Amino acid sequence: MEWLNYHHLQYFWTVAREGGIAAAARKLHVGRPAISMQLKSLEAFFGTPLFVRRGRYLELTDTG
């Protein structure tokens, strides 16, 4: 990925705020795979994980 788009940032922000991909998908009215793909692309861009799983929820890493 050579550039970021608004979807990467919006999905990242919503997942961080909602605490998980499923909740973010409901809020944004998109499928979970779409959010997962955008997050994977964003993590590949930065070269580090942005979230860590804590039970059923996702928490931001230091980079996130």
Side-chain angles (χ1 to χ4, degrees):
M1 179 176 74
E2 296 180 14
W3 50 274
L4 296 175
N5 62 39
Y6 288 116
H7 289 275
H8 292 103
L9 301 176
Q10 181 183 23
Y11 292 176
F12 169 77
W13 175 252
T14 307
V15 170
R17 192 172 32 172
E18 298 295 320
I21 292 174
R26 284 191 299 273
K27 181 138 185 128
L28 295 169
H29 305 287
V30 297
R32 287 181 278 178
I35 292 177
S36 291
M37 278 189 354
Q38 293 290 336
L39 289 179
K40 285 181 186 179
S41 295
L42 191 59
E43 288 178 336
F45 178 79
F46 288 114
T48 185
L50 300 174
F51 292 98
V52 64
R53 183 162 295 286
R54 300 278 185 226
R56 294 181 60 205
Y57 301 100
L58 293 175
E59 281 186 9
L60 289 170
T61 62
D62 290 338
T63 305

